[in-house]
Amino acid sequence: LFLEGWGFCPTLEECYERSRTSHGSTEGEPHHTDLRQKGPYFSSDEMENPLLHDFNWVFIRYCDGGYFSGDVNQSVEVNTTRKTHQIWFRGRYIREGVVDHLRREHHMDEATDVILA
């Protein structure tokens, strides 16, 4: 399981601005991505990736602003010069939801090895 990283946003205003980019939303993103373009760790070539070439890979898109650890039940208000906006910090629930889905739908609970990166 590869958690895409982009760090955290230090202010609510910066979190709001990030929420409008590919680092805060998956809107317009393809449903599937060829992970081999993301680096050698996702290569199925045994010579290029001797340790992980025969593993299954899950790339979890970054979209929270808080290291996949956000645990806020309600939206957070951000005041800009134009108006008030709502943003959410739900990274923990995104991470847990992905793992639950992989367990139920893809038998991850039968895996002998799982790497979280």
Side-chain angles (χ1 to χ4, degrees):
L1 304 176
F2 184 84
L3 301 173
E4 181 182 33
W6 281 102
F8 76 101
C9 40
T11 68
L12 290 177
E13 293 77 15
E14 287 180 38
C15 287
Y16 169 70
E17 289 302 322
R18 184 182 286 192
S19 75
R20 301 180 60 186
T21 71
S22 63
H23 304 308
S25 173
T26 57
E27 186 174 319
E29 294 283 317
H31 187 70
H32 293 92
T33 300
D34 182 358
L35 293 178
R36 292 172 289 202
Q37 297 174 0
K38 301 283 186 186
Y41 297 113
F42 300 111
S43 173
S44 57
D45 181 331
E46 186 174 5
M47 296 298 289
E48 184 177 23
N49 187 6
L51 295 175
L52 306 174
H53 71 279
D54 59 349
F55 273 52
N56 294 307
W57 310 301
V58 177
F59 183 82
I60 305 171
R61 285 270 287 110
Y62 181 88
C63 60
D64 176 54
Y67 299 118
F68 292 96
S69 62
D71 189 11
V72 180
N73 288 325
Q74 289 98 15
S75 62
V76 175
E77 289 188 352
V78 181
N79 296 308
T80 64
T81 55
R82 294 186 184 161
K83 65 180 203 173
T84 299
H85 304 276
Q86 306 293 315
I87 59 174
W88 291 261
F89 295 99
R90 306 278 297 174
R92 174 185 150 208
Y93 300 105
I94 294 167
R95 185 190 73 239
E96 289 175 354
V98 168
V99 170
D100 287 345
H101 173 78
L102 293 170
R103 284 182 177 151
R104 280 191 323 273
E105 303 297 325
H106 299 282
H107 310 289
M108 189 177 90
D109 54 344
E110 297 173 12
T112 58
D113 299 291
V114 175
I115 298 172
L116 178 64

